[in-house]
Amino acid sequence: MGAHTVLSNFPTNAPVLSLKHFKRGFLFDSSSTHCFLRFAEFKSSTQAIQIAHRTQVISAVSSKKVDVENSDLKSRRKKLAVFVSGGGSNFKAIHAATRDGCAFGDVVVLVTNKTSCGGAAYARENGIPVIQFPKTKNDSEGLSTDGLVSALRKYEVDFVLLAGYLKLIPVELVRNFPKRILNIHPSLLPAFGGKGYYGLKVHKAVIASGARYSGPTIHYVDEEYDTGKILAQRVVSVCAFDTPEELAARVLHEEHRLYVDVVEALCEDRVIWRDDGVPLIQSKEDPKHYS
């Protein structure tokens, strides 16, 4: 077989990526069961590489497996720090996406102000280091702001993801990680945001206002509560006789999906900034389309 030959046992409908995509780290396609890479030139069919979707293994056509952990691809994965204060359901969704291959990154550290919370317990169960922040008078284990910045640099963190973290992020952290800290909020910002708007308080306010729509917002973090540039939103209808708990459950379901989509885009370098300072996400399927 010569150059550009695809083996007969490759599915005919499998998406084919160029070497350019491979170099940029676009290894997985969430729309299909498998994703195949065909080099621009290869001398024989044994050089074609099949990339199994949602795994951490590249399988050569010769049936020899190469562990991604031992390849230079590992260095291309984005390193993520997640901040939580509670059960960490968004954190768990993000971690599952990185573990299963949907997002080309790794959660390398968890930061929490409550080391006994469910999110911290999950991190320990999965071998993810846990850092306490901020430091309290009664607990010597917590880090100062300078200590936290140093720790995140030690872990070579690319992005900081707030996932139900209820403390205001220090100015020093924002300035040390510009355009690299994101937060998720359970309303369509700028409505129902700011200090005091969190958890069920948000959903109670939405219902009381008579708003017909709500939904999660992911935004970049600045020096105030919920005022950073909006990156992504998803609309959830408010039903006529919703309780705050019912609305919260539907919004949370969309939060998990939205955060994973955003993390996937971050890890694939598909977030671009418009000239007026507004961030946009480039479509994976159509690079000319932005949302």
Side-chain angles (χ1 to χ4, degrees):
M1 295 185 180
H4 302 296
T5 302
V6 180
L7 296 184
S8 59
N9 62 341
F10 277 26
T12 57
N13 62 346
V16 177
L17 304 181
S18 67
L19 183 58
K20 175 180 69 175
H21 291 101
F22 182 78
K23 287 181 177 179
R24 293 176 65 184
F26 295 162
L27 300 181
F28 302 101
D29 182 351
S30 60
S31 65
S32 63
T33 304
H34 294 87
C35 182
F36 295 90
L37 168 73
R38 184 170 63 194
F39 286 102
E41 293 287 339
F42 54 86
K43 296 179 181 179
S44 69
S45 60
T46 58
Q47 290 179 289
I49 296 179
Q50 174 185 357
I51 301 175
H53 178 59
R54 298 182 186 278
T55 70
Q56 298 296 310
V57 175
I58 297 177
S59 177
V61 175
S62 62
S63 298
K64 293 182 180 180
K65 293 184 178 180
V66 180
D67 189 348
V68 172
E69 294 291 334
N70 297 324
S71 74
D72 61 354
L73 296 177
K74 179 65 179 176
S75 63
R76 302 183 188 183
R77 296 175 68 88
K78 296 295 190 293
K79 296 183 178 181
L80 312 172
V82 182
F83 286 42
V84 304
S85 291
S89 64
N90 273 305
F91 160 47
K92 294 173 185 177
I94 292 167
H95 177 250
T98 61
R99 179 194 61 206
D100 297 342
C102 293
F104 201 57
D106 297 292
V107 179
V108 296
V109 64
L110 181 94
V111 178
T112 181
N113 59 312
K114 298 179 179 179
T115 55
S116 61
C117 71
Y122 176 86
R124 295 188 190 96
E125 291 169 2
N126 287 274
I128 299 171
V130 176
I131 291 176
Q132 181 179 343
F133 178 82
K135 186 175 183 178
T136 63
K137 294 180 180 179
N138 300 324
D139 195 337
S140 60
E141 297 297 322
L143 295 182
S144 64
T145 299
D146 288 342
L148 178 62
V149 171
S150 297
L152 295 180
R153 293 199 181 283
K154 174 185 174 183
Y155 285 106
E156 300 179 332
V157 168
D158 293 298
F159 296 103
V160 173
L161 309 174
L162 310 187
Y165 185 72
L166 302 181
K167 294 288 186 178
L168 183 65
I169 297 300
V171 172
E172 294 85 349
L173 188 61
V174 175
R175 292 176 180 173
N176 274 276
F177 291 86
K179 295 183 178 179
R180 293 162 62 191
I181 306 176
L182 296 98
N183 180 49
I184 191 161
H185 184 78
S187 74
L188 295 175
L189 293 175
F192 309 104
K195 188 174 182 179
Y197 278 102
Y198 60 89
L200 284 180
K201 292 182 178 181
V202 173
H203 306 297
K204 289 178 180 178
V206 169
I207 292 171
S209 75
R212 274 25 178 200
Y213 299 97
S214 189
T217 297
I218 292 179
H219 64 94
Y220 282 89
V221 173
D222 58 16
E223 298 175 11
E224 304 294 334
Y225 281 108
D226 303 328
T227 58
K229 295 292 185 180
I230 293 171
L231 177 60
Q233 294 181 310
R234 191 155 287 168
V235 175
V236 174
S237 295
V238 180
C239 298
F241 299 100
D242 260 341
T243 66
E245 291 79 8
E246 289 169 339
L247 179 58
R250 294 202 308 281
V251 171
L252 183 61
H253 176 73
E254 294 302 323
E255 285 184 32
H256 297 164
R257 297 174 59 192
L258 184 63
Y259 225 152
V260 168
D261 287 348
V262 166
V263 170
E264 183 180 350
L266 289 169
C267 290
E268 295 176 352
D269 297 317
R270 288 190 288 109
V271 175
I272 63 102
W273 290 80
R274 215 165 60 189
D275 290 342
D276 60 357
V278 173
L280 301 171
I281 295 177
Q282 184 181 43
S283 169
K284 179 187 291 188
E285 291 75 21
D286 181 5
K288 295 181 180 180
H289 178 73
Y290 297 87
S291 61

